[in-house]
Amino acid sequence: MTEAEDRKPQSDEARMAFTPPAGIEVGDSESETTSEFALPMGLDVPQSTSSEPEGSAFTTPGGYSVEDASPAFTPATGIPRISLTKDLPWQDRMRTMLRMPVAERPAPERMPKVEEEGPAVPRVLDLTLRIGELLLAGGEGAEDVEAAMFAVCRSYGLDRCEPNVTFTLLSISYQPSLVDDPVSASRTVRRRGTDYTRLAAVYRLVDDLSDPESHISLEEAYGRLAEMRRNRHPYPTWVLTSASGLLAGAASVLVGGDLIVFVAAMLGAMLGDRLAWLCAGRGLPEFYQFTVAAMPPAAIGVALTLTHVDVKASAVITGGLFALLPGRALVAGVQDGLTGFYITASARLLEVMYFFVGIVVGVLVILYFGVNLGAKLDPDAALNISPRPYWQIAASMLLSLTFAVLLQQERCTVLAVTLNGGVAWVVYGAMHYTGEFSPVAATAVAAGLVGLFGQLMARYRFASALPYTTAAIGPLLPGSATYFGLLSIAQNNVDKGLVSLATAASLAMAIAIGVNLGSEISRLFLRIGSPEKRRAAKRTRGF
């Protein structure tokens, strides 16, 4: 190569930008290649005297000390100290903790029934879901079902549990720690049945599990659950049918009926009950069962009018409606809505609407044919109901008694709920007939006393409040307003009928809100174990 060729500049292919300039020696080892993140030569990095194991983002820093921490992040009002008294009912303690944020809930004390290696988490969650299924299928409110599920989990040492209850689905999630994977399980409620004896047995099981002195293993709890499912109902079928007839007869006396009306309403309700059982055996939905059950009392009332029997036919039809109105589902639906469970409340109220529409269809079909056949049914008969205090008080107590039997209540609770129903009617009669208050206000006050008494009895017996409240609201159900509204519609007086049905809906809402308000008043003035105020709900209210 000549000297001219050496001076000639080479192309980019011959000399790249990353080629070291002439005179710079580059080592042959690839490990000597460095980057901008490499430490300069001669700089020593101080090494930690104590080796700290590698953690996660949730691990507490090694230089952090709780005692020496700055109070800069402490809330201005301070961190409240939670103290839950153990001698309080487990319902109050669990409900209080459910309405706390997870970070503020006190950790559960380890119970002796928990094995040394810890509880079997999937089996505890399965037991919890089975208990919640029995409570929800029995008509218990969503908040009380969540409180029971939370109590079962904490009794076995699972503190980071979050139960969730909807109308047909129960789910629960447990997270051992912030860095562990959560364990979730769910269960679907497909069948619903009214059996308050089984409901009371489930509450006793949860109460025993929540007792720190008890030693109930998972196998024992499963055995008790299986025994509850195998137990037969406390009352045979013929007793239930007779109770439905006596309920309708007692309701007819409340609205002015005599002995003949009592017997006629009783026969109509018993026939409707048997027809509903027949439809249930054939697999028909409950909508058609209510439709068929509402027809016989209406047919007997229309038949008495057509035969010119001097009786109050409207009382016969009204008595039959009392045995069908879904007061239990209505109270549970409104209670779920007031406590923040809006999805469950919407589903329950939609169920009530379907049942009510089924009753309306059954009664309207009979009334339509009766009016076309010349039956003289008077919609203004509602204004001619004369108060008969002694007969009405006795009828209200009989109605509550038979309603308790239909709900399959324990025999030890029947007397209390019978007296509660009598007191409710005395309050309603004193305010409406004597004090001339509106029926809606009188119904709300009477239902509030029913809810207050039921909650007090539930706290005294560590049981559910449903057996003490549901049957006691039976005398307050809007049977007569419903019937006269349907009669006006059947006679083409739609405006007057809608007004009467709106009155019936107002009375129903007054019952449900009054029962819930009475329960909340009892919790408001009774100590629940926390120095802080009871949280209104677990969700925000729009602000």
Side-chain angles (χ1 to χ4, degrees):
M1 181 178 296
T2 61
E3 183 178 357
E5 292 176 348
D6 292 339
R7 294 177 180 177
K8 182 180 179 180
Q10 298 181 356
S11 63
D12 290 342
E13 290 80 5
R15 184 178 184 278
M16 300 297 296
F18 297 101
T19 304
I24 302 298
E25 297 180 359
V26 181
D28 296 336
S29 176
E30 188 178 356
S31 61
E32 294 183 5
T33 303
T34 62
S35 68
E36 57 181 316
F37 298 102
L39 295 174
M41 297 181 59
L43 179 62
D44 295 332
V45 180
Q47 302 294 329
S48 176
T49 57
S50 60
S51 61
E52 182 178 350
E54 183 179 358
S56 65
F58 299 98
T59 307
T60 304
Y64 178 81
S65 175
V66 179
E67 291 79 7
D68 301 334
S70 173
F73 298 98
T74 303
T77 57
I79 299 177
R81 180 180 178 182
I82 306 299
S83 60
L84 297 174
T85 309
K86 295 181 180 179
D87 57 353
L88 293 172
W90 61 266
Q91 297 99 315
D92 289 339
R93 290 186 281 119
M94 295 304 110
R95 188 180 292 107
T96 302
M97 283 187 285
L98 274 175
R99 295 185 175 186
M100 295 180 186
V102 178
E104 297 181 13
R105 294 175 183 170
E109 298 180 2
R110 297 297 174 180
M111 304 299 179
K113 54 178 168 285
V114 180
E115 295 82 2
E116 293 182 359
E117 63 273 10
V121 174
R123 296 199 67 197
V124 172
L125 297 184
D126 179 71
L127 175 67
T128 303
L129 290 174
R130 291 177 183 273
I131 290 177
E133 178 190 9
L134 289 179
L135 293 177
L136 187 63
E140 190 62 85
E143 186 180 28
D144 294 324
V145 175
E146 280 197 358
M149 295 172 64
F150 194 65
V152 174
C153 287
R154 288 182 66 89
S155 66
Y156 286 101
L158 307 184
D159 56 336
R160 288 183 172 271
C161 284
E162 285 296 330
N164 187 23
V165 176
T166 59
F167 186 60
T168 58
L169 182 65
L170 297 168
S171 62
I172 189 168
S173 176
Y174 169 67
Q175 189 172 13
S177 65
L178 293 175
V179 296
D180 292 329
D181 295 330
V183 181
S184 300
S186 62
R187 193 172 183 88
T188 303
V189 180
R190 301 190 183 276
R191 293 190 60 187
R192 299 178 184 275
T194 303
D195 189 347
Y196 282 1
T197 299
R198 180 179 297 173
L199 188 71
V202 176
Y203 262 82
R204 283 193 293 269
L205 174 59
V206 178
D207 184 30
D208 293 339
L209 290 174
S210 304
D211 188 2
E213 298 180 358
S214 65
H215 304 277
I216 300 178
S217 63
L218 283 174
E219 298 300 330
E220 294 174 348
Y222 271 109
R224 291 179 60 174
L225 271 183
E227 184 179 358
M228 294 175 198
R229 291 182 178 274
R230 288 194 301 264
N231 283 346
R232 297 177 61 87
H233 296 303
Y235 306 103
T237 304
W238 67 270
V239 174
L240 298 179
T241 303
S242 302
S244 63
L246 290 174
L247 190 153
S252 66
V253 174
L254 280 179
V255 293
D258 53 11
L259 181 60
I260 298 178
V261 171
F262 180 90
V263 175
M266 179 177 176
L267 292 177
M270 293 173 65
L271 182 58
D273 180 76
R274 287 295 86 199
L275 289 177
W277 275 99
L278 182 62
C279 294
R282 294 291 186 266
L284 288 178
E286 287 183 304
F287 175 85
Y288 301 105
Q289 297 176 30
F290 275 80
T291 302
V292 171
M295 289 183 175
I300 291 178
V302 172
L304 291 175
T305 303
L306 291 175
T307 55
H308 303 287
V309 179
D310 189 14
V311 294
K312 200 170 186 178
S314 61
V316 178
I317 304 176
T318 301
L321 292 178
F322 265 85
L324 298 176
L325 293 177
R328 172 182 58 87
L330 175 66
V331 172
V334 174
Q335 179 181 358
D336 289 342
L338 294 176
T339 52
F341 294 84
Y342 302 114
I343 297 178
T344 308
S346 302
R348 288 187 190 271
L349 294 178
L350 184 62
E351 181 188 40
V352 171
M353 186 193 72
Y354 272 104
F355 291 164
F356 187 75
V357 170
I359 298 171
V360 167
V361 171
V363 176
L364 272 181
V365 168
I366 301 299
L367 291 181
Y368 178 77
F369 283 105
V371 171
N372 290 334
L373 291 175
K376 302 298 182 180
L377 299 172
D378 185 11
D380 296 329
L383 303 176
N384 301 324
I385 299 177
S386 58
R388 298 176 298 173
Y390 298 108
W391 282 103
Q392 289 176 331
I393 292 174
S396 65
M397 296 179 68
L398 178 61
L399 195 153
S400 299
L401 172 65
T402 53
F403 203 173
V405 173
L406 288 175
L407 293 173
Q408 305 280 359
Q409 291 189 197
E410 292 180 304
R411 292 179 174 86
C412 60
T413 63
V414 171
L415 178 60
V417 74
T418 302
L419 295 176
N420 198 12
V423 172
W425 182 260
V426 168
V427 173
Y428 171 81
M431 293 185 63
H432 178 54
Y433 294 112
T434 305
E436 297 182 353
F437 284 84
S438 67
V440 176
T443 300
V445 174
L449 291 178
V450 169
L452 177 61
F453 176 79
Q455 191 60 231
L456 293 177
M457 289 299 297
R459 292 173 61 89
Y460 175 72
R461 293 181 177 268
F462 284 49
S464 172
L466 288 180
Y468 302 100
T469 58
T470 305
I473 65 174
L476 305 176
L477 292 176
S480 58
T482 303
Y483 162 68
F484 289 113
L486 298 179
L487 179 58
S488 298
I489 294 176
Q491 294 178 346
N492 293 327
N493 195 348
V494 179
D495 294 338
K496 187 176 181 180
L498 292 179
V499 170
S500 185
L501 290 180
T503 303
S506 301
L507 292 173
M509 291 298 294
I511 292 172
I513 295 176
V515 170
N516 181 263
L517 182 60
S519 301
E520 295 296 330
I521 288 176
S522 68
R523 299 192 188 109
L524 181 64
F525 290 100
L526 294 176
R527 181 170 172 266
I528 61 175
S530 175
E532 296 294 322
K533 292 183 179 180
R534 180 173 180 263
R535 307 204 175 216
K538 64 178 183 180
R539 298 171 178 84
T540 60
R541 295 300 182 193
F543 51 85

